[in-house]
Amino acid sequence: MKISRQFISLLLIAVMALLLFAFFAEEADGRAGGGHSYSGSKRSSGGSSSRRSSGSSGSRSSSGSHSSGSSHSTGGYNSHSRSSSYTGGSSGSADCFTCFITLIVFAVIIAVIVIAARKGIKSVSTGGSVFFTPAQKLSLAEQIKKLKESDRNFSRPLFMDFIHVLYAKFQTARGTKEWGELPSYISRPLLEEAGKSSSSVSAVDNVVTGVSDILEIDQSRPDADVIKVLFEANYTEHGGSGAKPAIYYAREQWILERKKGVLSKPPDQIASLHCPSCGSPEEPRPDGTCPHCDSVVNKGDFHWLVTGVEVIEKIPRPPLELSGGGVEEGTDEPTVYQPGLAAEKQAFEARNPSFSWNEFEQLVKSTFIAIQDAWTSCAWEKARPYETEHLFSTHRYWIDRYRAEGLRNMLEDIQILKVETAKIEPDAYYESITMRIWARMKDYTIDSQGKVVDGNRNTPRKFSEYWTFIRRSGVGAGEKARHEGFCPNCGAELKVNMAGICEFCESKITSGEFGWVLSSIEQDEAYAG
């Protein structure tokens, strides 16, 4: 093989750098990490405290991918540290020999990397996890699209509902210590550790999720797909012996894994938390098998399994931070259109020949006004017919925060300036349409005495947001009845409980089964398409 001068020069530079490093380097002190456990104590781990697979290397790729040598958690905190020992006397010959061997090893590694780069290899795989170069880093939309190629049933709205239910049940079970069906979806060691860490907690309630979202999808492992999700939530912990309840703000990252080739569950099964193999509601046995079908259901062979929980922050709920008014970011930036939007729009119209864009835009506008009205009046039950489960919970989180501090956010003189389509995305069960909405309104916050404590009651603010609506594929225009005040299923006067269920026909009308419902709202400075 012919070696170029460029390669030789690079190798010599690397060797010289290593020699200088060996001569001048000192042992550096590790920085104490700042994470919190369930008990709220800090740990020094070179990062944040985490509950994750002890079989994991605990490393992160440059893209932030989760790296794990095992697909299942064995529980326990994994604190990474390094130590150094110093001995008296001379050790010159040993040090020289060690340095020489180290240089040879590093030289070989550099040679391999350079040769690989010359052959067009873009990444290096270690322990099944790919370390991406910046050019290879995929956007979340691209990661979801790639996952759908191997799992045709994957639906982001359904997955969001699933993790939302799972998080709430997990937090509640930390108080009761009754795990029920959770061992099929959260590794047993993680549950045991959560129970120990919450030994002084007698109950957990009022679990309200402010944020639940997918951070990253890693399909680089040969045995399993991995999804990292983020939660921000409030919940109340009750202690024993008459201790005063404490309201906490928590920010957590969860790692979910699933065996390669497994298809996502359909809408009527994905969030039921019954046996992921046969659907039985029976609690799994201690050995992880289902009493009904005898399948091992705690290894991610049939559904997503939580194998890591990292509590980034857990603190007594802090005071509500107000924005202070000012200019909205990104309002005048160009719309982030989906690549190939025109083709997607044409395909959507072919699938839905009776669909009317004019009617849909009117629906978007009426939903926008209804949501602002429910927010201003603090009567969030008014918004229940228009939003999916996890979005309604997110908004309720903020309404509760304002209420708790005697504040009220006022939105007045609302004007919708413009609406346009940014994205159309179908999956196995749902159609979704993302619309960018430009609006202007007076936006200010008052206290219990009516005094303005944030914003300006006289000056309107202009802003834009991306609103995503979802509807079951093939569903007709039931949303028109809902916006006229009638149930889209039975036609009765619209009365919906907090679960989004019609009080007359008991149909869940906020699932997208009967028409378009709002699934997410993203600020324009944060929207990535």
Side-chain angles (χ1 to χ4, degrees):
M1 179 182 67
K2 184 178 180 181
I3 301 175
S4 68
R5 292 181 180 178
Q6 183 179 6
F7 173 80
I8 294 173
S9 299
L10 181 60
L11 190 57
L12 287 173
I13 291 171
V15 171
M16 291 174 65
L18 285 167
L19 283 170
L20 289 170
F21 175 83
F23 185 79
F24 289 109
E26 294 180 354
E27 183 72 19
D29 292 332
R31 179 177 61 83
H36 293 77
S37 69
Y38 274 112
S39 63
S41 61
K42 291 191 175 184
R43 296 175 59 89
S44 175
S45 60
S48 55
S49 303
S50 61
R51 280 180 290 281
R52 62 169 57 157
S53 304
S54 62
S56 167
S57 66
S59 63
R60 297 276 193 268
S61 74
S62 60
S63 66
S65 300
H66 172 73
S67 172
S68 175
S70 169
S71 62
H72 311 298
S73 170
T74 55
Y77 285 97
N78 190 4
S79 178
H80 301 282
S81 62
R82 64 177 184 175
S83 61
S84 59
S85 60
Y86 297 89
T87 59
S90 174
S91 59
S93 60
D95 288 345
C96 288
F97 178 75
T98 302
C99 183
F100 178 71
I101 295 299
T102 302
L103 288 173
I104 292 176
V105 171
F106 272 89
V108 171
I109 292 173
I110 292 170
V112 170
I113 292 172
V114 173
I115 292 172
R118 287 169 61 82
K119 291 184 177 181
I121 299 175
K122 302 295 185 182
S123 62
V124 179
S125 178
T126 303
S129 180
V130 173
F131 293 81
F132 293 100
T133 63
Q136 286 183 299
K137 173 65 174 175
L138 301 177
S139 68
L140 180 58
E142 292 170 323
Q143 292 174 29
I144 291 175
K145 183 178 180 180
K146 189 170 181 291
L147 179 60
K148 287 180 180 178
E149 292 174 0
S150 57
D151 177 7
R152 63 180 180 274
N153 288 352
F154 183 81
S155 169
R156 184 174 183 178
L158 289 178
F159 180 81
M160 297 307 301
D161 284 343
F162 163 63
I163 63 171
H164 177 85
V165 170
L166 190 61
Y167 182 85
K169 290 201 172 187
F170 170 70
Q171 297 298 345
T172 302
R174 285 198 301 110
T176 63
K177 312 300 186 294
E178 296 177 0
W179 305 121
E181 67 274 29
L182 290 179
S184 298
Y185 298 90
I186 300 177
S187 70
R188 178 74 69 170
L190 284 180
L191 293 176
E192 292 174 353
E193 183 180 353
K196 292 176 183 178
S197 301
S198 305
S199 59
S200 62
V201 178
S202 61
V204 178
D205 55 24
N206 296 323
V207 181
V208 182
T209 306
V211 173
S212 57
D213 203 3
I214 299 172
L215 292 179
E216 189 169 19
I217 301 173
D218 181 6
Q219 291 187 273
S220 63
R221 284 176 44 185
D223 60 331
D225 294 326
V226 181
I227 293 184
K228 181 194 296 183
V229 299
L230 172 70
F231 295 100
E232 290 187 29
N234 283 173
Y235 48 74
T236 302
E237 289 187 357
H238 301 263
S241 304
K244 186 178 179 180
I247 302 176
Y248 287 99
Y249 161 81
R251 189 158 60 100
E252 304 179 10
Q253 286 186 6
W254 284 27
I255 300 297
L256 296 94
E257 303 183 11
R258 190 183 66 181
K259 184 179 179 181
K260 287 282 190 186
V262 175
L263 297 180
S264 294
K265 300 292 182 182
D268 59 337
Q269 298 178 25
I270 189 168
S272 68
L273 300 190
H274 292 164
C275 170
S277 174
C278 69
S280 169
E282 295 182 75
E283 182 178 339
R285 302 185 184 107
D287 64 356
T289 59
C290 170
H292 187 263
C293 66
D294 289 325
S295 298
V296 179
V297 293
N298 64 346
K299 292 186 177 181
D301 289 349
F302 304 99
H303 207 320
W304 294 102
L305 178 75
V306 181
T307 59
V309 174
E310 180 180 2
V311 182
I312 302 170
E313 188 173 19
K314 180 188 173 183
I315 58 175
R317 189 170 68 181
L320 184 67
E321 292 186 10
L322 301 177
S323 65
V327 178
E328 297 276 355
E329 294 182 30
T331 304
D332 297 324
E333 293 295 320
T335 299
V336 180
Y337 294 108
Q338 169 189 23
L341 176 60
E344 288 290 349
K345 189 173 183 178
Q346 186 176 10
F348 173 83
E349 291 169 350
R351 293 191 301 270
N352 301 273
S354 62
F355 180 84
S356 166
W357 283 104
N358 287 334
E359 289 182 5
F360 180 72
E361 288 185 10
Q362 290 305 312
L363 178 147
V364 170
K365 293 177 180 178
S366 63
T367 300
F368 184 88
I369 297 297
I371 296 297
Q372 313 308 326
D373 176 64
W375 178 270
T376 299
S377 64
C378 289
W380 199 240
E381 62 276 6
K382 292 182 179 179
R384 193 64 194 95
Y386 306 105
E387 298 188 329
T388 59
E389 193 77 35
H390 77 273
L391 182 61
F392 179 77
S393 179
T394 297
H395 282 148
R396 186 162 64 91
Y397 167 93
W398 291 109
I399 288 289
D400 289 348
R401 291 301 310 277
Y402 276 93
R403 273 205 195 105
E405 302 195 25
L407 300 175
R408 184 174 170 185
N409 186 216
M410 307 297 294
L411 307 175
E412 298 175 345
D413 298 338
I414 302 167
Q415 296 176 285
I416 298 175
L417 306 176
K418 182 181 177 182
V419 173
E420 70 174 5
T421 307
K423 184 178 181 180
I424 301 172
E425 184 178 17
D427 60 41
Y429 303 106
Y430 289 94
E431 303 267 15
S432 70
I433 301 178
T434 300
M435 305 292 289
R436 190 181 186 190
I437 304 174
W438 285 265
R440 180 188 294 116
M441 66 180 68
K442 294 174 183 176
D443 179 358
Y444 61 96
T445 301
I446 59 175
D447 62 17
S448 59
Q449 307 301 316
K451 179 183 177 182
V452 176
V453 295
D454 184 62
N456 189 313
R457 69 163 74 234
N458 300 313
T459 305
R461 299 176 68 181
K462 181 183 175 183
F463 65 94
S464 70
E465 294 172 336
Y466 290 82
W467 288 39
T468 298
F469 293 78
I470 65 170
R471 186 185 73 177
R472 278 296 295 270
S473 300
V475 170
E479 60 272 2
K480 183 177 180 180
R482 186 178 66 240
H483 282 265
E484 292 176 350
F486 300 97
C487 172
N489 182 49
C490 68
E493 182 183 356
L494 188 61
K495 292 185 178 180
V496 180
N497 63 23
M498 296 300 280
I501 296 174
C502 172
E503 294 183 1
F504 294 97
C505 66
E506 298 185 349
S507 296
K508 191 175 181 67
I509 68 169
T510 58
S511 62
E513 294 280 350
F514 304 100
W516 296 100
V517 289
L518 184 61
S519 176
S520 70
I521 299 174
E522 297 175 83
Q523 303 303 308
D524 42 16
E525 71 270 20
Y527 181 74

